[in-house]
Amino acid sequence: MSQHILSVLVENKPSVLARISSLLARRGFNIHSMAVGPTADEGMSRMTIVVDAPEMEQVKKQLHKLVNVVRITELDPQTSLEREIMLIRVSAAPGKRGELLEIGTIFKATVIDVSTASMCFQVIGEPRKINDFVELVRPYGIVELVKSGRIAMGRDTKTRKLRAIG
Amino acid sequence: MSTMSGARALITALEHEGVEVVFGVPGGAILPAYDPILDSPIRHILARHEQGAGHMAEGYAWATGRVGVAMVTSGPAATNLVTPLADALVDSVPMVAITGQVATHAVGNDAFQEAYTTGITMPATKHNYYVTDPREIPDVVREAFHIAATGRPGPVLIDLPKDVLNGEMVWHKPAKLSLPGYRPTVDAHPRPIKDAIKLVEASERPVLYVGGGIIKAYAHRELLRFAEATRIPVVTTLMGRGAIPDDHPLALGMPGMHGNYTAVTAMQQADLLIAIGVRFDDRVTGNPATFAPGARIIHADVDPAEIGKVRVPDVPIVGDARKVLEELLSKWDGRDAPERREWLDTVAAWQRDYPLRYNQHPDGPIKPQYVVEELNRLAGSDTILVSGVGQHQMWASQYWKFTEPRKWINSGGLGTMGFAVPAAIGAKVGRPDEQVYAIDGDGCFQMTPQELITASAEGIPIKVAVFNNGAHGMVKQWQNLFYGGRLSAVDLGKDFPDYVKLADAMGCVGLRADTPEEVGPAIEKSLAIDDRPVVVQFVTDSEEMVFPMVPAGGSNDDIILSREDLP
Ligand SMILES: Cc1ncc(C[n+]2csc(CCOP(=O)(O)OP(=O)(O)O)c2C)c(N)n1
Ligand SMILES: [Mg+2]
């Protein structure tokens, strides 16, 4: 089954998150990740939902039936901007810290906590980059890992691109 | 500035919506609303169970086309309402349910009679509201009625905590609707209409496959005109019975699991299905992979999610059934109806060779099909016929000649036993001048008979024919056909209850017919009574099975016509 990214604009109303997750569950669509937050318009929230489903027509149509769902955009993973934040605590005996810091530098990861036994990194980036980081530090021992879920938006293809940034 | 309570605002808002009747049961959390209703012209009908109130609201909506309203208290009352809500959702019945809730400060504390009503009913409603401020009431009620009645109709629930009902507010006329996420498409796009006309022109064996959407959209006249203008035969699903008169030469009756041979086979052999207001339900298609294999599909529905859900159409049309048919008619305009001699002859030959049939022996047990036909003959097709769920429902749909829309009320999508009696009451309240007759199974009847007390107490003279075959007949049929006749938990016995005494105890007239010759007279007697509800028990053949039949998930090509054809 393939993963699809939906950017869903919803009215900022009570239970809207429950409505969406309940609907997806009821219709048998598997939610891979879901990130929600306010938008520039305070009456609206934006959700980025990553769904596993063979095809998206039904998912989108069923979501559209929810009264509080205002707009749904399916984002093409090839052309959209995707980011995720991960906090990851890795075992780091004093002798290993240097190696870990090196890996961190390559990934522009920030160390946000250090103890005698572990280091905690903050990694921001595309999901692939985050996964690569996880694989690289796995041999050291992952103590704890948390991800924000993906957020995404389409690239501005209407106005001429000045420069591809980040 | 004068203020009023949230409860009074609620009743005022209902009055503004033109509500004439509310079906309900009071209780602690909803108490505040039961006081101002005393001063309102709105009639309140005290159901004996909240499920009854819900189905009454549905029956009312079915018969009148207006939004049915049910009002109950919190907790167990709200959960009792879940079945009618789920029923109304799948059958697209416009309904507004009002539930009391414990006070906002108690919500979330497992307070007495607290249930998470909006959570429980989220997947059973088109939309629901939890109101936290009495000032929201006018707008919420306006929105709820709008959502219930427009687009694909359905149930909307409003949950009102007691302190919100008791709180004070200044009445204001509802603001302009602000529903940025709710904009049903009503008008069909012109392009698919053109494409549809091209397919219609090119087809040799077209069939119009129509259902509840035609009834809901009041599109029956346009349907008839389109069918006649294009000379295309019409099958009407269980939900669409009455969309075209059954005595019309182009009417083929009901398709599906218990559809007649012609309706089923015409769809199987069609080269074009014009599907309007239907959802390719599994009870119609059988195995979707073998359904109408040679047919191209035009699918029109007001709910875009139905289009392509089961079968991807060649021409999708989103829109209200009546608007779609009007557009199709205007594009077709002026053309002569094609002869279609070969196809119509084929269909007519099937009708002649494979009619529905049963055999009523004069000395044998009463055949249920015979009761339906006699009832139809004596009560007339202008009767509003309401049905339960089971074999009797299929016989009612097969053998009754429907001539108008909104004269057939049943629970199709959810298949809710216990629907008939309360739905008949709701229909009669909405259409007091019409004859309302329910056909119910003994099993179904025993699920909600107490609502006949409501009918007696409120002076709602419905009639109920109980088909007493002493069994959960439909389940028994499946056990006979698919479980080698090992009957498990389907025997209800024919002796208890004594329906005549039970009817009498509930303030109704009780009648019974045990032999074929008693059928007609019992019906006539029932028709002569109009001051009280009547229950007529027909003791019917326990062994009778519903045919034709396509086994669940099977191919419609393998339709079994009668017991003799069983493999
Ligand atoms: C609430 C509910 N419970 C169970 C069923 C399963 N069911 C479908 S038909 C049927 C038997 C109905 O019996 P009866 O009302 O006597 O009708 P008959 O088939 O005998 O005509 C049952 C139990 C159902 N549809 N609804
Ligand atoms: Mg029965």
Side-chain angles (χ1 to χ4, degrees):
Chain A
M1 232 177 266
S2 51
Q3 280 192 357
H4 301 264
I5 312 165
L6 294 181
S7 177
V8 184
L9 187 68
V10 298
E11 279 186 284
N12 204 350
K13 290 275 169 80
S15 316
V16 63
L17 193 61
R19 288 179 202 282
I20 289 191
S21 53
S22 144
L23 180 130
L24 292 171
R26 175 161 74 101
R27 298 277 175 186
F29 306 125
N30 191 28
I31 303 171
H32 181 82
S33 74
M34 195 157 167
V36 203
T39 62
D41 174 350
E42 68 177 39
M44 300 283 170
S45 294
R46 165 89 56 193
M47 311 179 65
T48 306
I49 311 175
V50 182
V51 201
D52 296 321
E55 59 96 31
M56 290 310 282
E57 265 330 284
Q58 262 301 303
V59 180
K60 287 192 272 183
K61 284 173 167 180
Q62 293 296 343
L63 281 174
H64 254 307
K65 287 175 72 164
L66 295 176
V67 168
N68 300 137
V69 169
V70 178
R71 194 160 58 242
I72 303 174
T73 321
E74 184 175 358
L75 296 174
D76 178 355
Q78 306 299 319
T79 60
S80 57
L81 304 165
E82 279 185 77
R83 289 295 179 272
E84 192 163 25
I85 300 181
M86 172 175 70
L87 304 183
I88 183 166
R89 183 180 296 287
V90 188
S91 296
K96 300 283 180 193
R97 282 188 203 145
E99 291 171 31
L100 282 166
L101 278 171
E102 241 167 74
I103 299 174
T105 310
I106 300 168
F107 282 82
K108 291 197 185 119
T110 317
V111 178
I112 55 172
D113 189 33
V114 193
S115 76
T116 49
S118 73
M119 291 173 84
C120 182
F121 289 93
Q122 162 194 305
V123 193
I124 302 177
E126 288 176 2
R128 233 210 1 247
K129 167 178 158 182
I130 295 215
N131 289 341
D132 288 349
F133 185 87
V134 172
E135 289 320 310
L136 280 171
V137 301
R138 191 183 294 284
Y140 297 87
I142 296 169
V143 181
E144 200 179 343
L145 183 162
V146 56
K147 290 182 183 179
S148 62
R150 284 185 233 174
I151 56 170
M153 61 166 75
R155 284 183 194 275
D156 184 354
T157 49
K158 286 190 201 92
T159 50
R160 205 167 70 89
K161 242 173 249 149
L162 298 174
R163 192 157 214 261
I165 300 167
Chain B
M1 216 178 291
S2 72
T3 64
M4 62 166 78
S5 69
R8 187 168 288 277
L10 169 70
I11 302 301
T12 307
L14 295 179
E15 289 169 5
H16 277 253
E17 294 299 329
V19 173
E20 52 177 17
V21 58
V22 168
F23 304 93
V25 182
I30 196 71
L31 258 171
Y34 270 85
D35 187 71
I37 204 171
L38 284 174
D39 308 322
S40 169
I42 295 174
R43 178 179 182 192
H44 181 269
I45 290 181
L46 176 60
R48 264 47 177 179
H49 186 292
E50 290 84 359
Q51 183 189 357
H55 292 319
M56 287 176 201
E58 285 189 273
Y60 174 88
W62 265 102
T64 62
R66 310 180 59 202
V67 177
V69 183
M71 181 161 81
V72 307
T73 195
S74 63
T79 56
N80 276 345
L81 205 58
V82 172
T83 300
L85 291 171
D87 191 275
L89 183 66
V90 67
D91 281 349
S92 316
V93 183
M95 170 176 172
V96 167
I98 293 154
T99 50
Q101 182 55 278
V102 301
T104 47
H105 60 80
V107 163
N109 287 317
D110 306 313
F112 176 63
Q113 291 196 329
E114 180 187 356
Y116 178 28
T117 302
T118 45
I120 291 171
T121 61
M122 208 174 271
T125 52
K126 186 172 173 186
H127 192 54
N128 63 21
Y129 292 90
Y130 171 64
V131 182
T132 52
D133 184 330
R135 286 171 300 186
E136 295 169 14
I137 289 174
D139 287 352
V140 165
V141 171
R142 182 74 278 277
E143 283 184 17
F145 275 78
H146 175 72
I147 293 170
T150 53
R152 178 177 178 173
V156 179
L157 180 138
I158 307 173
D159 198 33
L160 290 158
K162 194 167 184 177
D163 55 332
V164 172
L165 289 169
N166 280 330
E168 290 289 309
M169 57 88 76
V170 178
W171 173 260
H172 60 269
K173 275 237 182 76
K176 210 167 150 276
L177 287 168
S178 162
L179 294 164
Y182 180 75
R183 281 160 307 199
T185 307
V186 172
D187 295 317
H189 204 274
R191 221 198 34 230
I193 295 284
K194 257 201 209 148
D195 295 344
I197 291 293
K198 274 190 210 135
L199 286 190
V200 172
E201 279 177 325
S203 70
E204 286 171 7
R205 301 183 307 281
V207 172
L208 272 154
Y209 157 33
V210 305
I214 299 284
I215 315 278
K216 303 278 155 41
Y218 289 90
H220 50 284
R221 288 183 208 89
E222 290 74 14
L223 170 69
L224 186 64
R225 280 173 47 213
F226 184 70
E228 287 178 345
T230 54
R231 209 168 281 156
I232 297 178
V234 185
V235 303
T236 44
T237 68
L238 182 67
M239 303 310 287
R241 305 286 292 125
I244 184 170
D246 278 328
D247 54 10
H248 192 281
L250 289 168
L252 306 187
M254 181 174 73
M257 177 177 274
H258 292 297
N260 70 74
Y261 181 86
T262 306
V264 171
T265 309
M267 290 175 93
Q268 284 306 93
Q269 313 236 330
D271 64 355
L272 176 67
L273 290 183
I274 306 153
I276 307 179
V278 292
R279 54 191 180 86
F280 291 75
D281 182 72
D282 56 83
R283 286 302 190 256
V284 169
T285 61
N287 178 359
T290 55
F291 172 66
R296 309 190 80 179
I297 310 281
I298 299 166
H299 190 182
D301 204 284
V302 74
D303 179 358
E306 289 304 342
I307 297 175
K309 185 180 80 178
V310 176
R311 172 102 168 230
V312 178
D314 299 273
V315 179
I317 308 176
V318 179
D320 169 85
R322 188 160 92 190
K323 291 273 167 73
V324 169
L325 280 160
E326 277 171 1
E327 288 303 315
L328 287 170
L329 272 164
S330 81
K331 287 280 166 311
W332 183 262
D333 188 41
R335 277 168 245 217
D336 288 336
E339 281 262 337
R340 251 185 252 298
R341 175 74 53 73
E342 203 175 318
W343 178 229
L344 293 176
D345 283 353
T346 308
V347 169
W350 289 330
Q351 285 181 310
R352 190 183 59 234
D353 296 342
Y354 306 103
L356 290 170
R357 58 194 157 92
Y358 70 95
N359 201 352
Q360 176 65 69
H361 247 279
D363 306 322
I366 299 173
K367 293 290 183 185
Q369 302 93 326
Y370 175 67
V371 183
V372 176
E373 289 198 318
E374 281 295 279
L375 197 56
N376 193 185
R377 184 174 68 82
L378 294 167
S381 282
D382 52 350
T383 299
I384 295 177
L385 186 68
V386 187
S387 161
V389 172
Q391 291 181 313
H392 61 281
Q393 174 189 29
M394 292 299 114
W395 288 314
S397 179
Q398 288 176 334
Y399 285 90
W400 190 274
K401 296 278 174 248
F402 295 94
T403 54
E404 295 167 63
R406 297 198 183 274
K407 299 281 177 164
W408 165 241
I409 301 177
N410 83 129
S411 165
L414 201 65
T416 309
M417 292 175 69
F419 175 85
V421 168
I425 292 170
K428 183 75 181 169
V429 169
R431 290 271 175 256
D433 300 332
E434 298 193 31
Q435 175 101 262
V436 178
Y437 224 118
I439 287 183
D440 214 1
D442 47 344
C444 289
F445 182 81
Q446 290 179 39
M447 290 207 177
T448 49
Q450 78 285 348
E451 298 309 338
L452 282 167
I453 306 169
T454 309
S456 295
E458 298 272 351
I460 306 164
I462 61 160
K463 306 184 200 316
V464 183
V466 179
F467 283 30
N468 182 6
N469 56 1
H472 285 299
M474 186 56 95
V475 182
K476 179 173 156 184
Q477 173 164 346
W478 284 48
Q479 290 177 348
N480 273 323
L481 295 177
F482 310 120
Y483 290 86
R486 282 161 55 86
L487 300 185
S488 176
V490 288
D491 184 18
L492 293 167
K494 285 190 168 176
D495 300 335
F496 311 114
D498 179 326
Y499 291 92
V500 175
K501 279 194 192 149
L502 181 61
D504 190 50
M506 293 191 289
C508 312
V509 177
L511 303 169
R512 69 181 287 162
D514 292 82
T515 61
E517 71 264 20
E518 287 170 9
V519 169
I523 294 169
E524 276 169 344
K525 239 191 213 163
S526 76
L527 293 173
I529 300 162
D530 61 6
D531 60 339
R532 268 180 298 166
V534 189
V535 177
V536 194
Q537 176 199 188
F538 298 92
V539 181
T540 56
D541 187 351
S542 316
E543 299 311 314
E544 193 63 22
M545 291 202 225
V546 185
F547 287 106
M549 178 167 193
V550 177
S555 163
N556 282 354
D557 290 329
D558 302 330
I559 182 169
I560 302 164
L561 288 180
S562 68
R563 197 182 286 251
E564 292 73 49
D565 295 334
L566 284 172

